[in-house]
Amino acid sequence: MERPTAGLYLVATPIGNREDITLRALRVLREVDWVAAEDTRHSGQLLKHFQISARLISYHEHNTAQRIPQILKYLAAGQSVALISDAGTPAISDPGEELVRACIQDGIPVIPVPGPVAAVAALAASGLATGRFVFEGFLPLKASQRQARLQQLAQEERTLIFYEAPHRLQQTLQDLLDHCGPERQIVLARELTKLHESFWRGSLAAALEHCAAQPPRGEFTLVLEGRPPSEKEEISPSEAEVRQELARLLAEGLSRSAASRQLAQRFQGSLLWTRRRLYDLSLQLEPLLGSDPSPAVELSSATDDETES
Ligand code: SAM
């Protein structure tokens, strides 16, 4: 068996179908001194399937502090290490980024052995624009970071790719709808390369209905159409008009959430005026309502001023 050049090999492994492993990946996994795997039990089965007996060590997000110096020591001694993750390409929404950086800092070669990536497989088959795209991986879970990211992404014109766990899919679709509007097209790429591979294509509103009717199971990659460039200007009412309408509904006695919902429905297709943005705007109107005994009159004259300025 030939000894491979010393260095860190980033070896892509299948995201489902084992036939997707490359010939080069098999050779490298056979030849390296060490295979660092996210889950040694899971990867042990893959290696066994291909009759590869390798020296396995674990490398996952909870042991990077101990493992990075250990792996760097092997590499500095002229040994070769292959990094694999549970599925797909290591360092793509998977542990690896930190180790790659540490190797680069120490002048150790980092050698990619490319292969499956769920994001690229989903994008290629999505039918959406592939010329320019943004990979977003998992959206942040922390509410404030998530809101900020979604607000920013709603304006993105390139096709967007997300990873999501099945139990969070509905919430994520709802958040995307609130920020991007109900008409934005989305593709739910499910169980790619596996027995039950499927692609669901349609609007965000229809995707939510689809998931309510058929609770999501399996692995999902989401491919979202970018913001159509012309749409915003054509159909979005101005902020002054929206304020005026909101103020009128609040003065009629509707709750902020009911008023925002009603307007979001009316501005369907407006990518700017999502229910969440309308609700945020309604919060700004509250002090005006509270401080004036005849809010309807006062509010509409306040917005008139704004409209004129
Ligand atoms: N490194 C992997 C890659 O190259 O695609 C991604 C790992 S990330 C931790 C796991 C996420 O990738 C899943 O939650 C899912 O969103 C997506 N994913 C992985 N395998 C998939 C598959 N077979 N079909 C659809 N999505 C998949």
Side-chain angles (χ1 to χ4, degrees):
M1 198 165 71
E2 206 168 305
R3 223 180 125 67
T5 315
L8 178 72
Y9 291 79
L10 301 173
V11 180
T13 56
I15 55 170
N17 191 326
R18 282 179 171 170
E19 289 180 25
D20 289 338
I21 194 123
T22 68
L23 294 174
R24 185 171 170 224
L26 290 175
R27 181 181 58 74
V28 169
L29 290 171
R30 260 190 208 106
E31 290 178 357
V32 286
D33 297 300
W34 296 94
V35 174
E38 196 179 356
D39 177 341
T40 50
R41 221 163 55 106
H42 173 88
S43 296
Q45 282 166 9
L46 181 81
L47 295 174
K48 194 171 162 208
H49 176 82
F50 290 109
Q51 292 161 0
I52 296 172
S53 53
R55 275 196 289 181
L56 273 167
I57 47 167
S58 69
Y59 176 81
H60 51 73
E61 57 178 339
H62 304 295
N63 71 359
T64 53
Q66 306 105 275
R67 279 293 190 254
I68 290 179
Q70 186 183 352
I71 293 172
L72 288 177
K73 220 166 93 187
Y74 295 153
L75 292 164
Q79 296 193 315
S80 52
V81 179
L83 178 68
I84 59 178
S85 58
D86 285 351
T89 300
I92 302 300
S93 287
D94 263 337
E97 188 179 325
E98 232 184 302
L99 179 60
V100 168
R101 220 174 285 126
C103 287
I104 293 168
Q105 255 169 17
D106 282 11
I108 291 161
V110 176
I111 305 130
V113 182
V117 189
V120 175
L123 173 72
S126 68
L128 296 175
T130 57
R132 297 171 69 222
F133 63 89
V134 198
F135 174 64
E136 280 295 322
F138 294 94
L139 280 168
L141 292 179
K142 208 171 153 221
S144 56
Q145 290 172 5
R146 194 171 169 95
Q147 286 311 313
R149 181 74 52 84
L150 284 160
Q151 253 169 35
Q152 181 197 358
L153 293 179
Q155 304 306 315
E156 176 57 64
E157 290 182 9
R158 291 169 290 183
T159 303
L160 298 124
I161 309 170
F162 300 94
Y163 286 158
E164 194 47 285
H167 65 280
R168 293 210 194 92
L169 184 61
Q170 270 167 291
Q171 184 57 56
T172 292
L173 290 174
Q174 182 66 60
D175 290 346
L176 289 171
L177 184 146
D178 288 344
H179 286 82
C180 304
E183 296 303 323
R184 187 82 72 93
Q185 297 298 296
I186 187 157
V187 178
L188 311 180
R190 175 175 170 265
E191 295 283 89
L192 289 163
T193 79
K194 300 186 197 177
L195 186 64
H196 297 292
E197 175 180 277
S198 69
F199 292 89
W200 184 94
R201 299 175 173 89
S203 68
L204 276 170
L208 261 172
E209 278 176 30
H210 170 75
C211 288
Q214 233 176 296
R217 286 175 61 191
E219 298 206 87
F220 285 87
T221 296
L222 318 182
V223 189
L224 181 70
E225 179 190 24
R227 179 175 73 84
S230 58
E231 208 166 321
K232 184 175 148 193
E233 288 73 30
E234 278 169 22
I235 56 176
S236 283
S238 70
E239 180 166 331
E241 285 166 329
V242 174
R243 275 175 180 270
Q244 190 167 18
E245 273 306 282
L246 264 177
R248 189 181 61 73
L249 293 173
L250 294 175
E252 276 176 12
L254 263 72
S255 68
R256 282 192 296 268
S257 102
S260 317
R261 195 165 44 243
Q262 200 181 106
L263 282 192
Q265 269 164 12
R266 191 177 330 155
F267 302 147
Q268 239 185 43
S270 161
L271 302 169
L272 193 59
W273 296 112
T274 61
R275 197 175 69 180
R276 193 171 300 270
R277 278 207 72 202
L278 288 161
Y279 185 83
D280 288 348
L281 192 62
S282 76
L283 292 174
Q284 294 173 21
L285 298 177
E286 189 184 39
L288 287 173
L289 276 172
S291 63
D292 196 274
S294 53
V297 176
E298 185 58 37
L299 271 172
S300 51
S301 62
T303 31
D304 284 349
D305 288 344
E306 278 186 28
T307 315
E308 281 163 18
S309 64

